[in-house]
Amino acid sequence: MSGARHAVVVTHARLRESGTVIAEAVEQLRQSGFEVTVVDNANAPDFGTPSPVVKDNTEIVVVLGGDGTILRAAELVHCTRVPILGVNLGHVGFLAEFESFQMSEAIRRVADHDYSIDERMIAHVDVWLPGASRPLEDWALNDITLERADRGKMVELSIRVDDVEMSSFGCDGVIVSTPTGSTAYAFSAGGPIMWPNVQALQLIPLAAHALFARPLIIGAGSTFAIDILDDSMSDGWICCDGRRQRALPKGTRVEVRQSKDTLRLARLSGVPFTNRLVTKFDLPVVGWREHARGADQPVRHGHVFPDGIGRLHSAHGEDGR
């Protein structure tokens, strides 16, 4: 079938088995002229091991699920230019663009090429094991966590920025987050929200035993280096995007910087990130002073956009990640 358009649908096996929404979406794509391959949200590859990617002729990856499924789909398009479109069938769905009830519109606009591309920063990580001549390499769209391997003990870490030591402390671990991941685990740990167009990385200590252990934000040209000290009470454990992980012995150095690659998200609306943030977190946009002054006035809640588009969103987060 020459000239056919190719789409990959990424979803959960349990969603395929629990109803007809996945089958209906695949059928709509086929009726719109796409050859469709369906991929279930499979187990993560090993840390430092390249994951299989979509074929070169893939036009778009459509994710039917939550943001955890989008993180799985990101592995399928890593180091390619293939965009991802998310339709939220999960919980918060920060990265998704449409809700499930908007499925038909999403597929129609994909078929019509009626979308723009939002390029998201990716973090690159090098793991230098003790005595290694080459690092293990991996990446993250959201975050890289370095935590204690022994749940009853602290891991002792040294933090450097551009090879200048900033601090050292015992802790449960640290999170290094991209702007996309700043609304996920890093946010839960007390980190600031960074807008997606910011080119920066942040580091959030987890329960650090130190007087000065505040979040650090560095620019795109800088590098975090995190050493697991030789006298640490616990070994370490690294995890990228809640998926690719491995144990790290004492004496390991972890370096995180901006990747040269980006992730391409298909965007179908012009809704600013700020609106999406207010909507997904249901932020109260009226303070208590305004309530006191105008109790008889209608309250502006975060779940309605001023332009009436409503319930379109961005940025990250399933199951607290």
PDB file of all heavy atoms in Angstrom, residues 157-160 164-169 210 212-213:
ATOM      1  N   LEU A 157      26.005  11.792  50.007  1.00  0.00           N
ATOM      2  CA  LEU A 157      26.242  12.316  48.677  1.00  0.00           C
ATOM      3  C   LEU A 157      27.040  13.609  48.725  1.00  0.00           C
ATOM      4  O   LEU A 157      26.918  14.392  49.665  1.00  0.00           O
ATOM      5  CB  LEU A 157      24.908  12.598  47.959  1.00  0.00           C
ATOM      6  CG  LEU A 157      23.942  11.431  47.795  1.00  0.00           C
ATOM      7  CD1 LEU A 157      22.660  11.910  47.131  1.00  0.00           C
ATOM      8  CD2 LEU A 157      24.575  10.298  47.001  1.00  0.00           C
ATOM      9  N   SER A 158      27.827  13.842  47.684  1.00  0.00           N
ATOM     10  CA  SER A 158      28.491  15.117  47.451  1.00  0.00           C
ATOM     11  C   SER A 158      27.905  15.712  46.176  1.00  0.00           C
ATOM     12  O   SER A 158      27.774  15.014  45.166  1.00  0.00           O
ATOM     13  CB  SER A 158      30.003  14.924  47.306  1.00  0.00           C
ATOM     14  OG  SER A 158      30.623  16.107  46.839  1.00  0.00           O
ATOM     15  N   ILE A 159      27.548  16.991  46.228  1.00  0.00           N
ATOM     16  CA  ILE A 159      26.905  17.663  45.093  1.00  0.00           C
ATOM     17  C   ILE A 159      27.869  18.678  44.509  1.00  0.00           C
ATOM     18  O   ILE A 159      28.379  19.557  45.212  1.00  0.00           O
ATOM     19  CB  ILE A 159      25.609  18.373  45.520  1.00  0.00           C
ATOM     20  CG1 ILE A 159      24.713  17.432  46.321  1.00  0.00           C
ATOM     21  CG2 ILE A 159      24.893  18.943  44.307  1.00  0.00           C
ATOM     22  CD1 ILE A 159      24.262  16.209  45.577  1.00  0.00           C
ATOM     23  N   ARG A 160      28.114  18.567  43.209  1.00  0.00           N
ATOM     24  CA  ARG A 160      28.966  19.529  42.509  1.00  0.00           C
ATOM     25  C   ARG A 160      28.188  20.157  41.350  1.00  0.00           C
ATOM     26  O   ARG A 160      27.337  19.507  40.743  1.00  0.00           O
ATOM     27  CB  ARG A 160      30.230  18.845  41.951  1.00  0.00           C
ATOM     28  CG  ARG A 160      31.197  18.353  43.000  1.00  0.00           C
ATOM     29  CD  ARG A 160      32.335  17.553  42.367  1.00  0.00           C
ATOM     30  NE  ARG A 160      33.307  17.137  43.373  1.00  0.00           N
ATOM     31  CZ  ARG A 160      34.408  17.811  43.679  1.00  0.00           C
ATOM     32  NH1 ARG A 160      34.699  18.938  43.017  1.00  0.00           N
ATOM     33  NH2 ARG A 160      35.227  17.395  44.613  1.00  0.00           N
ATOM     34  N   VAL A 164      32.540  22.221  40.782  1.00  0.00           N
ATOM     35  CA  VAL A 164      32.774  22.946  42.038  1.00  0.00           C
ATOM     36  C   VAL A 164      31.862  22.350  43.095  1.00  0.00           C
ATOM     37  O   VAL A 164      30.639  22.302  42.912  1.00  0.00           O
ATOM     38  CB  VAL A 164      32.490  24.453  41.885  1.00  0.00           C
ATOM     39  CG1 VAL A 164      32.657  25.156  43.227  1.00  0.00           C
ATOM     40  CG2 VAL A 164      33.408  25.064  40.839  1.00  0.00           C
ATOM     41  N   GLU A 165      32.446  21.861  44.199  1.00  0.00           N
ATOM     42  CA  GLU A 165      31.632  21.221  45.230  1.00  0.00           C
ATOM     43  C   GLU A 165      30.744  22.255  45.917  1.00  0.00           C
ATOM     44  O   GLU A 165      31.207  23.303  46.369  1.00  0.00           O
ATOM     45  CB  GLU A 165      32.502  20.513  46.262  1.00  0.00           C
ATOM     46  CG  GLU A 165      31.677  19.695  47.245  1.00  0.00           C
ATOM     47  CD  GLU A 165      32.500  18.714  48.061  1.00  0.00           C
ATOM     48  OE1 GLU A 165      33.745  18.882  48.094  1.00  0.00           O
ATOM     49  OE2 GLU A 165      31.917  17.805  48.655  1.00  0.00           O
ATOM     50  N   MET A 166      29.446  21.965  45.970  1.00  0.00           N
ATOM     51  CA  MET A 166      28.468  22.859  46.577  1.00  0.00           C
ATOM     52  C   MET A 166      28.098  22.427  47.985  1.00  0.00           C
ATOM     53  O   MET A 166      27.924  23.245  48.880  1.00  0.00           O
ATOM     54  CB  MET A 166      27.196  22.894  45.724  1.00  0.00           C
ATOM     55  CG  MET A 166      27.380  23.438  44.325  1.00  0.00           C
ATOM     56  SD  MET A 166      27.536  25.228  44.308  1.00  0.00           S
ATOM     57  CE  MET A 166      25.951  25.740  44.931  1.00  0.00           C
ATOM     58  N   SER A 167      27.945  21.110  48.186  1.00  0.00           N
ATOM     59  CA  SER A 167      27.476  20.631  49.471  1.00  0.00           C
ATOM     60  C   SER A 167      27.671  19.120  49.541  1.00  0.00           C
ATOM     61  O   SER A 167      27.866  18.457  48.518  1.00  0.00           O
ATOM     62  CB  SER A 167      25.985  20.975  49.658  1.00  0.00           C
ATOM     63  OG  SER A 167      25.550  20.662  50.960  1.00  0.00           O
ATOM     64  N   SER A 168      27.609  18.587  50.742  1.00  0.00           N
ATOM     65  CA  SER A 168      27.585  17.136  50.940  1.00  0.00           C
ATOM     66  C   SER A 168      26.729  16.853  52.165  1.00  0.00           C
ATOM     67  O   SER A 168      26.732  17.617  53.124  1.00  0.00           O
ATOM     68  CB  SER A 168      28.994  16.562  51.096  1.00  0.00           C
ATOM     69  OG  SER A 168      29.647  17.127  52.212  1.00  0.00           O
ATOM     70  N   PHE A 169      25.976  15.771  52.106  1.00  0.00           N
ATOM     71  CA  PHE A 169      25.067  15.456  53.214  1.00  0.00           C
ATOM     72  C   PHE A 169      24.584  14.016  53.090  1.00  0.00           C
ATOM     73  O   PHE A 169      24.651  13.397  52.029  1.00  0.00           O
ATOM     74  CB  PHE A 169      23.862  16.403  53.229  1.00  0.00           C
ATOM     75  CG  PHE A 169      23.278  16.714  51.878  1.00  0.00           C
ATOM     76  CD1 PHE A 169      22.580  15.753  51.145  1.00  0.00           C
ATOM     77  CD2 PHE A 169      23.420  17.982  51.321  1.00  0.00           C
ATOM     78  CE1 PHE A 169      22.049  16.039  49.906  1.00  0.00           C
ATOM     79  CE2 PHE A 169      22.885  18.277  50.068  1.00  0.00           C
ATOM     80  CZ  PHE A 169      22.193  17.306  49.362  1.00  0.00           C
ATOM     81  N   ALA A 210      21.068  18.181  56.806  1.00  0.00           N
ATOM     82  CA  ALA A 210      21.986  19.302  56.612  1.00  0.00           C
ATOM     83  C   ALA A 210      21.238  20.598  56.870  1.00  0.00           C
ATOM     84  O   ALA A 210      20.023  20.691  56.668  1.00  0.00           O
ATOM     85  CB  ALA A 210      22.543  19.294  55.187  1.00  0.00           C
ATOM     86  N   PHE A 212      21.945  23.419  55.203  1.00  0.00           N
ATOM     87  CA  PHE A 212      21.701  24.023  53.898  1.00  0.00           C
ATOM     88  C   PHE A 212      21.499  22.910  52.875  1.00  0.00           C
ATOM     89  O   PHE A 212      22.456  22.281  52.443  1.00  0.00           O
ATOM     90  CB  PHE A 212      22.855  24.920  53.458  1.00  0.00           C
ATOM     91  CG  PHE A 212      22.636  25.522  52.083  1.00  0.00           C
ATOM     92  CD1 PHE A 212      21.763  26.593  51.921  1.00  0.00           C
ATOM     93  CD2 PHE A 212      23.265  25.001  50.966  1.00  0.00           C
ATOM     94  CE1 PHE A 212      21.531  27.134  50.659  1.00  0.00           C
ATOM     95  CE2 PHE A 212      23.040  25.544  49.697  1.00  0.00           C
ATOM     96  CZ  PHE A 212      22.173  26.610  49.550  1.00  0.00           C
ATOM     97  N   ALA A 213      20.267  22.634  52.550  1.00  0.00           N
ATOM     98  CA  ALA A 213      19.942  21.622  51.547  1.00  0.00           C
ATOM     99  C   ALA A 213      18.690  22.082  50.823  1.00  0.00           C
ATOM    100  O   ALA A 213      17.603  21.567  51.026  1.00  0.00           O
ATOM    101  CB  ALA A 213      19.732  20.259  52.192  1.00  0.00           C
TER     102      ALA A 213
END
